[in-house]
Amino acid sequence: SQISAELNSRYLQLPKNLDPRVAQLGAEITGKARTSSEKASLVEGYLKRKYTYTLNLTWNPGPQPLSTFLFEAKSGHCEYFASSMAILLRTAGVPTRLVNGFLMGEYNPVGNDYIIRESDAHSWVEVYIPGTGWIEFDPTPPDPTQRDVNLATQISHYVDAIQMFWNSYVIV
């Protein structure tokens, strides 16, 4: 089905003075894809395989942060991954939008709730698929420094459950 003119004008916008290498990379990654969904999957996979997640940015973004991320630094946080996917797909004619929110958080089996921390803030991409609508894609690779649940985490689950109980049943 056709993409409306409103979708095209709003969700295919590109930054002014976009580095031409970005459009070239977008064409290289998506060149063999036939559909918007295939293009999105190719870009998502490319970013997850070729780049590294880090919160410790040791590089200077300069006047074109997207180009610096894609062609020099090749490591960054979720905003760089999501922005890169959105712009790479837009250069290939696929409408996209950025989403900022929170991940599910950490499940606390003691309190039967989820612990949502500031560190759970995340950015991802929604891609418009004709005939389907907006579909979520997350090009950010896993954090290589993420640790398994340890004793301190288990103790923090009990502390969180006690605080939640206190706030819910004692303080009214």
Side-chain angles (χ1 to χ4, degrees), residues 81-157:
F81 284 91
S83 297
S84 295
M85 181 170 183
I87 297 302
L88 287 166
L89 285 172
R90 286 182 178 194
T91 65
V94 179
T96 61
R97 60 188 183 192
L98 285 177
V99 181
N100 295 302
F102 288 86
L103 295 173
M104 180 65 86
E106 177 185 343
Y107 178 68
N108 180 353
V110 177
N112 195 26
D113 64 345
Y114 285 89
I115 303 165
I116 308 295
R117 295 182 177 91
E118 189 175 326
S119 61
D120 292 319
H122 193 57
S123 296
W124 60 93
V125 179
E126 289 184 339
V127 176
Y128 186 78
I129 308 296
T132 303
W134 294 100
I135 303 294
E136 292 179 0
F137 288 84
D138 188 352
T140 305
D143 183 352
T145 63
Q146 189 128 28
R147 297 185 183 111
D148 291 331
V149 175
N150 57 25
L151 180 60
T153 302
Q154 291 173 356
I155 291 170
S156 75
H157 287 169

Coordinates of all heavy atoms in Angstrom, one line a residue, residues 81-157:
F81 N 22.7 4.7 18.5 CA 22.2 3.6 17.7 C 20.9 3.9 17.1 O 20.6 3.6 15.9 CB 22.2 2.3 18.6 CG 23.5 1.7 18.9 CD1 24.3 2.1 20.0 CD2 24.1 0.8 18.0 CE1 25.5 1.5 20.2 CE2 25.3 0.2 18.2 CZ 26.0 0.6 19.3
A82 N 19.9 4.4 17.9 CA 18.6 4.7 17.4 C 18.6 5.8 16.4 O 18.0 5.6 15.3 CB 17.7 5.0 18.6
S83 N 19.3 6.8 16.6 CA 19.4 7.9 15.7 C 20.0 7.4 14.3 O 19.6 7.8 13.3 CB 20.3 9.1 16.2 OG 19.7 9.6 17.3
S84 N 21.1 6.6 14.4 CA 21.7 6.1 13.2 C 20.7 5.2 12.4 O 20.6 5.4 11.2 CB 22.9 5.3 13.6 OG 23.9 6.1 14.2
M85 N 20.0 4.4 13.1 CA 19.1 3.5 12.4 C 18.0 4.3 11.7 O 17.7 4.1 10.6 CB 18.4 2.5 13.3 CG 17.5 1.6 12.6 SD 16.9 0.2 13.7 CE 15.9 -0.7 12.5
A86 N 17.5 5.3 12.5 CA 16.4 6.2 11.9 C 16.9 6.9 10.7 O 16.2 6.9 9.6 CB 15.9 7.2 13.0
I87 N 18.1 7.5 10.7 CA 18.6 8.3 9.6 C 19.0 7.4 8.4 O 18.7 7.7 7.3 CB 19.7 9.2 10.0 CG1 19.2 10.2 11.0 CG2 20.3 9.9 8.8 CD1 18.0 11.1 10.6
L88 N 19.6 6.3 8.7 CA 20.0 5.3 7.6 C 18.8 4.8 6.9 O 18.8 4.8 5.6 CB 20.8 4.1 8.2 CG 22.2 4.4 8.7 CD1 22.8 3.3 9.5 CD2 23.1 4.7 7.5
L89 N 17.7 4.5 7.6 CA 16.5 4.1 7.0 C 15.8 5.2 6.2 O 15.3 5.0 5.1 CB 15.6 3.4 8.0 CG 16.0 2.1 8.4 CD1 15.1 1.6 9.6 CD2 15.9 1.1 7.3
R90 N 15.8 6.4 6.7 CA 15.2 7.5 6.0 C 15.9 7.8 4.7 O 15.3 8.1 3.7 CB 15.2 8.8 6.9 CG 14.2 8.7 8.0 CD 14.2 10.0 8.8 NE 13.1 9.9 9.9 CZ 12.7 11.0 10.5 NH1 13.2 12.2 10.3 NH2 11.8 10.8 11.5
T91 N 17.3 7.6 4.7 CA 18.0 7.8 3.4 C 17.6 6.8 2.4 O 17.7 7.0 1.2 CB 19.5 7.8 3.6 OG1 19.9 6.5 4.0 CG2 20.0 8.9 4.6
A92 N 17.1 5.6 2.9 CA 16.6 4.5 2.0 C 15.1 4.6 1.7 O 14.5 3.7 1.2 CB 17.0 3.2 2.6
G93 N 14.5 5.7 2.1 CA 13.1 5.9 1.8 C 12.1 5.3 2.8 O 10.9 5.1 2.5
V94 N 12.6 4.9 4.0 CA 11.7 4.2 5.0 C 11.4 5.2 6.1 O 12.3 5.7 6.8 CB 12.4 3.0 5.5 CG1 11.5 2.3 6.6 CG2 12.8 2.0 4.4
P95 N 10.1 5.5 6.3 CA 9.7 6.4 7.4 C 10.0 5.8 8.8 O 9.8 4.7 9.0 CB 8.2 6.6 7.2 CG 7.9 6.2 5.8 CD 8.9 5.1 5.5
T96 N 10.6 6.7 9.6 CA 11.0 6.2 11.0 C 10.7 7.3 12.0 O 10.6 8.5 11.6 CB 12.5 5.9 11.1 OG1 13.3 7.1 10.7 CG2 12.9 4.8 10.1
R97 N 10.6 6.9 13.2 CA 10.6 7.9 14.3 C 11.3 7.3 15.5 O 11.4 6.1 15.7 CB 9.1 8.2 14.7 CG 8.2 7.1 15.1 CD 6.8 7.5 15.2 NE 6.0 6.4 15.7 CZ 4.6 6.4 15.7 NH1 4.0 7.5 15.2 NH2 4.0 5.4 16.2
L98 N 11.9 8.2 16.3 CA 12.7 7.8 17.5 C 11.7 7.8 18.7 O 10.8 8.6 18.8 CB 13.7 8.9 17.8 CG 15.0 8.9 17.0 CD1 15.9 10.0 17.4 CD2 15.7 7.6 17.1
V99 N 12.0 6.8 19.6 CA 11.2 6.7 20.8 C 12.1 6.7 22.0 O 13.2 6.0 22.0 CB 10.4 5.3 20.8 CG1 9.5 5.2 22.0 CG2 9.5 5.3 19.5
N100 N 11.8 7.5 23.0 CA 12.5 7.5 24.2 C 11.6 7.0 25.3 O 10.5 7.5 25.4 CB 13.1 8.9 24.5 CG 14.1 9.3 23.5 OD1 15.1 8.7 23.3 ND2 13.8 10.4 22.9
G101 N 12.1 6.1 26.2 CA 11.3 5.7 27.3 C 12.1 4.9 28.3 O 13.3 5.1 28.4
F102 N 11.5 3.9 28.9 CA 12.1 3.1 29.9 C 11.9 1.6 29.5 O 10.9 1.2 29.1 CB 11.6 3.3 31.3 CG 12.0 4.6 31.9 CD1 11.3 5.8 31.6 CD2 13.2 4.7 32.6 CE1 11.7 7.0 32.1 CE2 13.6 5.9 33.1 CZ 12.8 7.1 32.9
L103 N 13.0 0.8 29.7 CA 12.9 -0.6 29.5 C 12.1 -1.2 30.7 O 11.8 -0.5 31.7 CB 14.3 -1.2 29.5 CG 15.1 -0.8 28.3 CD1 16.6 -1.4 28.4 CD2 14.5 -1.3 27.0
M104 N 11.8 -2.5 30.6 CA 10.9 -3.1 31.6 C 11.5 -3.0 33.0 O 10.8 -3.0 34.0 CB 10.8 -4.6 31.3 CG 9.9 -5.4 32.3 SD 8.2 -4.8 32.3 CE 7.6 -5.8 31.0
G105 N 12.8 -2.9 33.1 CA 13.4 -2.8 34.5 C 13.8 -4.2 35.0 O 13.7 -5.2 34.2
E106 N 14.1 -4.3 36.2 CA 14.5 -5.5 36.8 C 13.4 -6.1 37.6 O 12.8 -5.4 38.5 CB 15.7 -5.2 37.8 CG 16.3 -6.4 38.5 CD 17.3 -5.9 39.5 OE1 17.9 -4.8 39.4 OE2 17.6 -6.7 40.4
Y107 N 13.1 -7.4 37.3 CA 12.0 -8.0 38.1 C 12.5 -8.4 39.5 O 13.6 -8.9 39.7 CB 11.5 -9.3 37.3 CG 10.4 -10.0 38.1 CD1 9.2 -9.5 38.3 CD2 10.7 -11.2 38.7 CE1 8.2 -10.1 39.0 CE2 9.7 -11.9 39.4 CZ 8.5 -11.3 39.5 OH 7.5 -12.0 40.2
N108 N 11.7 -8.0 40.5 CA 12.0 -8.4 41.8 C 11.0 -9.5 42.3 O 9.8 -9.2 42.6 CB 11.8 -7.1 42.7 CG 12.1 -7.4 44.2 OD1 12.3 -8.6 44.6 ND2 12.1 -6.4 45.0
P109 N 11.5 -10.7 42.3 CA 10.6 -11.9 42.7 C 10.2 -11.8 44.2 O 9.1 -12.4 44.5 CB 11.5 -13.1 42.5 CG 12.9 -12.6 42.5 CD 12.9 -11.2 42.0
V110 N 10.9 -11.1 45.0 CA 10.5 -11.0 46.4 C 9.2 -10.1 46.6 O 8.3 -10.5 47.2 CB 11.7 -10.4 47.3 CG1 11.2 -10.2 48.7 CG2 12.9 -11.3 47.2
G111 N 9.2 -9.0 45.9 CA 8.1 -8.1 46.0 C 7.1 -8.2 44.9 O 6.1 -7.6 44.8
N112 N 7.4 -9.1 43.9 CA 6.6 -9.4 42.8 C 6.3 -8.1 42.0 O 5.1 -7.8 41.7 CB 5.3 -10.1 43.2 CG 4.5 -10.6 42.0 OD1 5.2 -11.0 41.0 ND2 3.2 -10.8 42.1
D113 N 7.3 -7.3 41.8 CA 7.2 -6.0 41.1 C 8.5 -5.8 40.2 O 9.3 -6.6 40.2 CB 7.0 -4.9 42.1 CG 8.3 -4.7 43.0 OD1 9.1 -5.6 43.1 OD2 8.4 -3.6 43.6
Y114 N 8.5 -4.7 39.5 CA 9.6 -4.3 38.7 C 10.3 -3.1 39.3 O 9.6 -2.1 39.7 CB 9.2 -4.0 37.3 CG 8.9 -5.3 36.5 CD1 7.6 -5.8 36.5 CD2 9.9 -6.0 35.8 CE1 7.3 -7.0 35.8 CE2 9.6 -7.2 35.1 CZ 8.3 -7.7 35.2 OH 8.1 -8.8 34.5
I115 N 11.6 -3.1 39.3 CA 12.4 -2.0 39.8 C 12.8 -1.2 38.5 O 13.5 -1.7 37.7 CB 13.6 -2.4 40.6 CG1 13.2 -3.3 41.7 CG2 14.4 -1.2 41.0 CD1 14.3 -4.1 42.4
I116 N 12.3 0.0 38.4 CA 12.7 0.9 37.2 C 13.6 1.9 37.7 O 13.3 2.7 38.6 CB 11.4 1.6 36.6 CG1 10.3 0.5 36.3 CG2 11.8 2.4 35.4 CD1 10.7 -0.5 35.3
R117 N 14.8 2.0 37.1 CA 15.9 2.9 37.5 C 16.1 3.9 36.4 O 15.7 3.6 35.2 CB 17.2 2.2 37.8 CG 17.1 1.3 39.0 CD 18.4 0.6 39.3 NE 18.3 -0.2 40.5 CZ 18.0 -1.5 40.5 NH1 17.7 -2.1 39.4 NH2 18.0 -2.2 41.6
E118 N 16.7 5.0 36.7 CA 17.1 6.0 35.7 C 18.0 5.3 34.6 O 17.9 5.6 33.4 CB 17.9 7.1 36.3 CG 18.1 8.3 35.4 CD 18.8 9.5 36.1 OE1 18.5 9.7 37.3 OE2 19.6 10.1 35.4
S119 N 18.8 4.3 35.0 CA 19.6 3.6 34.0 C 18.8 2.8 33.1 O 19.4 2.3 32.1 CB 20.6 2.7 34.8 OG 20.0 1.8 35.6
D120 N 17.5 2.6 33.3 CA 16.6 1.8 32.4 C 16.1 2.7 31.3 O 15.4 2.2 30.4 CB 15.5 1.2 33.2 CG 15.9 0.1 34.1 OD1 16.8 -0.7 33.7 OD2 15.4 0.0 35.2
A121 N 16.5 4.0 31.3 CA 16.1 4.9 30.2 C 16.7 4.3 28.9 O 17.8 3.8 28.9 CB 16.6 6.3 30.4
H122 N 15.9 4.4 27.8 CA 16.4 3.8 26.5 C 15.8 4.5 25.3 O 14.7 5.2 25.5 CB 16.0 2.3 26.5 CG 16.6 1.5 25.5 ND1 18.0 1.4 25.3 CD2 16.1 0.7 24.5 CE1 18.3 0.6 24.3 NE2 17.1 0.2 23.8
S123 N 16.4 4.4 24.2 CA 15.9 4.9 22.9 C 15.9 3.8 21.9 O 16.8 2.9 21.9 CB 16.9 6.0 22.4 OG 16.8 7.1 23.3
W124 N 14.9 3.7 21.1 CA 14.7 2.8 20.0 C 14.0 3.4 18.9 O 13.8 4.6 18.9 CB 14.1 1.5 20.5 CG 12.7 1.7 21.1 CD1 11.5 1.5 20.4 CD2 12.3 2.0 22.4 NE1 10.4 1.8 21.2 CE2 10.9 2.1 22.4 CE3 13.0 2.3 23.6 CZ2 10.2 2.4 23.6 CZ3 12.3 2.6 24.7 CH2 10.9 2.7 24.7
V125 N 13.7 2.6 17.9 CA 13.2 3.2 16.6 C 11.8 2.5 16.3 O 11.7 1.3 16.5 CB 14.1 2.9 15.4 CG1 13.6 3.4 14.1 CG2 15.5 3.5 15.7
E126 N 10.9 3.2 15.8 CA 9.7 2.7 15.2 C 9.8 2.9 13.7 O 10.1 4.0 13.3 CB 8.4 3.3 15.8 CG 8.2 2.9 17.2 CD 6.9 3.4 17.8 OE1 6.3 4.4 17.3 OE2 6.4 2.8 18.8
V127 N 9.5 1.9 12.9 CA 9.6 1.9 11.5 C 8.2 1.7 10.9 O 7.4 0.8 11.4 CB 10.5 0.8 11.0 CG1 10.5 0.8 9.5 CG2 11.9 1.0 11.5
Y128 N 7.8 2.6 10.0 CA 6.5 2.4 9.4 C 6.5 1.4 8.3 O 7.3 1.5 7.3 CB 6.0 3.8 8.8 CG 4.6 3.6 8.3 CD1 3.5 3.6 9.2 CD2 4.3 3.4 6.9 CE1 2.2 3.5 8.8 CE2 3.0 3.2 6.5 CZ 1.9 3.3 7.4 OH 0.7 3.1 7.0
I129 N 5.7 0.3 8.5 CA 5.7 -0.8 7.5 C 4.3 -0.7 6.8 O 3.3 -0.8 7.5 CB 5.8 -2.2 8.2 CG1 7.0 -2.2 9.1 CG2 5.7 -3.3 7.2 CD1 8.4 -2.1 8.4
P130 N 4.3 -0.4 5.5 CA 3.0 -0.2 4.8 C 2.1 -1.5 5.0 O 2.6 -2.6 4.9 CB 3.4 -0.1 3.3 CG 4.8 0.5 3.4 CD 5.4 -0.2 4.6
G131 N 0.9 -1.2 5.3 CA -0.1 -2.3 5.5 C -0.1 -2.9 6.9 O -1.0 -3.6 7.3
T132 N 0.9 -2.5 7.7 CA 1.0 -3.0 9.1 C 1.0 -1.9 10.1 O 0.3 -2.0 11.1 CB 2.3 -3.8 9.3 OG1 2.4 -4.9 8.3 CG2 2.5 -4.4 10.7
G133 N 1.7 -0.8 9.8 CA 1.8 0.3 10.8 C 3.2 0.4 11.4 O 4.2 -0.1 10.8
W134 N 3.3 1.0 12.5 CA 4.5 1.2 13.2 C 5.0 0.0 14.0 O 4.3 -0.6 14.8 CB 4.4 2.4 14.2 CG 4.2 3.7 13.5 CD1 3.0 4.3 13.3 CD2 5.1 4.5 12.8 NE1 3.2 5.5 12.6 CE2 4.5 5.6 12.3 CE3 6.5 4.4 12.6 CZ2 5.1 6.6 11.6 CZ3 7.2 5.4 11.9 CH2 6.5 6.5 11.4
I135 N 6.2 -0.4 13.7 CA 6.8 -1.6 14.3 C 8.1 -1.2 15.0 O 8.9 -0.4 14.5 CB 7.2 -2.7 13.3 CG1 5.9 -3.1 12.5 CG2 7.8 -3.9 13.9 CD1 4.9 -3.8 13.3
E136 N 8.4 -1.7 16.2 CA 9.6 -1.4 17.0 C 10.8 -2.2 16.5 O 10.7 -3.4 16.3 CB 9.3 -1.6 18.5 CG 8.3 -0.7 19.1 CD 8.1 -1.1 20.6 OE1 8.8 -2.0 21.1 OE2 7.3 -0.4 21.2
F137 N 11.9 -1.5 16.5 CA 13.2 -2.1 16.2 C 14.2 -1.5 17.2 O 14.1 -0.3 17.6 CB 13.7 -1.8 14.8 CG 13.0 -2.6 13.8 CD1 11.8 -2.1 13.2 CD2 13.4 -3.8 13.3 CE1 11.1 -2.8 12.3 CE2 12.8 -4.5 12.3 CZ 11.6 -4.0 11.8
D138 N 15.1 -2.3 17.7 CA 16.1 -1.9 18.7 C 17.5 -2.3 18.2 O 17.9 -3.4 18.4 CB 15.8 -2.5 20.1 CG 16.7 -1.8 21.1 OD1 17.7 -1.1 20.8 OD2 16.5 -2.1 22.3
P139 N 18.2 -1.3 17.6 CA 19.5 -1.6 17.1 C 20.7 -1.6 18.1 O 21.8 -1.9 17.8 CB 19.8 -0.5 16.1 CG 19.0 0.7 16.7 CD 17.8 0.1 17.4
T140 N 20.4 -1.3 19.4 CA 21.4 -1.3 20.4 C 21.8 -2.7 20.8 O 21.0 -3.5 21.2 CB 20.9 -0.5 21.6 OG1 20.5 0.8 21.2 CG2 22.1 -0.3 22.6
P141 N 23.1 -3.0 20.7 CA 23.6 -4.3 21.1 C 23.6 -4.4 22.7 O 23.5 -3.4 23.3 CB 25.0 -4.4 20.6 CG 25.5 -3.0 20.4 CD 24.2 -2.2 20.1
P142 N 23.7 -5.6 23.2 CA 23.7 -5.7 24.7 C 24.9 -5.1 25.3 O 26.0 -5.0 24.6 CB 23.8 -7.2 24.9 CG 23.6 -7.9 23.6 CD 23.7 -6.9 22.5
D143 N 24.8 -4.6 26.5 CA 25.9 -4.0 27.3 C 26.9 -5.1 27.7 O 26.5 -6.0 28.4 CB 25.3 -3.3 28.5 CG 26.4 -2.6 29.3 OD1 27.6 -2.7 29.0 OD2 26.0 -1.9 30.3
P144 N 28.1 -5.0 27.2 CA 29.1 -6.1 27.5 C 29.5 -6.1 29.0 O 30.1 -7.1 29.4 CB 30.3 -5.8 26.6 CG 30.1 -4.3 26.3 CD 28.7 -4.0 26.3
T145 N 29.2 -5.0 29.7 CA 29.6 -5.0 31.1 C 28.5 -5.4 32.0 O 28.7 -5.4 33.2 CB 30.0 -3.6 31.5 OG1 28.9 -2.7 31.3 CG2 31.2 -3.1 30.6
Q146 N 27.3 -5.8 31.5 CA 26.2 -6.2 32.3 C 26.6 -7.5 33.1 O 27.1 -8.4 32.6 CB 25.0 -6.5 31.5 CG 23.7 -6.7 32.3 CD 22.6 -5.9 31.8 OE1 22.5 -5.5 30.7 NE2 21.7 -5.5 32.7
R147 N 26.2 -7.5 34.4 CA 26.6 -8.6 35.3 C 25.4 -9.5 35.5 O 24.2 -9.0 35.5 CB 27.1 -8.1 36.6 CG 28.4 -7.3 36.4 CD 28.9 -6.9 37.8 NE 30.1 -6.1 37.6 CZ 30.1 -4.8 37.9 NH1 29.1 -4.2 38.4 NH2 31.2 -4.1 37.7
D148 N 25.7 -10.7 36.0 CA 24.6 -11.6 36.4 C 24.1 -11.2 37.8 O 24.7 -10.4 38.5 CB 25.1 -13.0 36.5 CG 25.4 -13.6 35.1 OD1 24.8 -13.2 34.1 OD2 26.3 -14.4 35.0
V149 N 22.9 -11.7 38.1 CA 22.4 -11.4 39.5 C 23.3 -12.0 40.5 O 23.7 -13.2 40.4 CB 21.0 -12.0 39.6 CG1 20.4 -11.9 41.0 CG2 20.0 -11.4 38.6
N150 N 23.7 -11.2 41.5 CA 24.6 -11.7 42.6 C 23.9 -11.5 43.9 O 22.8 -11.1 44.0 CB 25.9 -11.0 42.5 CG 25.8 -9.5 42.6 OD1 24.8 -9.0 43.2 ND2 26.7 -8.8 42.1
L151 N 24.6 -11.8 45.0 CA 24.1 -11.7 46.3 C 23.6 -10.3 46.6 O 22.5 -10.1 47.2 CB 25.1 -12.2 47.4 CG 24.6 -12.1 48.8 CD1 23.4 -13.0 49.0 CD2 25.7 -12.6 49.7
A152 N 24.4 -9.3 46.3 CA 24.0 -7.9 46.5 C 22.7 -7.6 45.8 O 21.8 -6.9 46.4 CB 25.1 -7.0 46.1
T153 N 22.5 -8.1 44.6 CA 21.2 -7.8 43.9 C 20.1 -8.5 44.6 O 19.0 -7.9 44.7 CB 21.4 -8.4 42.4 OG1 22.5 -7.7 41.8 CG2 20.1 -8.1 41.6
Q154 N 20.3 -9.7 45.1 CA 19.2 -10.4 45.8 C 18.8 -9.7 47.1 O 17.7 -9.6 47.4 CB 19.7 -11.9 46.1 CG 19.8 -12.7 44.8 CD 20.4 -14.1 45.1 OE1 20.8 -14.4 46.2 NE2 20.4 -14.9 44.1
I155 N 19.8 -9.2 47.8 CA 19.5 -8.4 49.0 C 18.8 -7.1 48.7 O 17.8 -6.8 49.3 CB 20.9 -8.1 49.8 CG1 21.4 -9.4 50.3 CG2 20.6 -7.1 50.9 CD1 22.9 -9.2 50.9
S156 N 19.2 -6.5 47.6 CA 18.5 -5.3 47.2 C 17.0 -5.6 46.8 O 16.1 -4.7 47.0 CB 19.2 -4.6 46.0 OG 18.9 -5.2 44.8
H157 N 16.7 -6.8 46.3 CA 15.3 -7.1 46.1 C 14.5 -7.1 47.4 O 13.3 -6.7 47.4 CB 15.2 -8.5 45.4 CG 15.7 -8.5 44.0 ND1 15.9 -9.7 43.3 CD2 16.0 -7.5 43.1 CE1 16.3 -9.4 42.1 NE2 16.3 -8.1 41.9

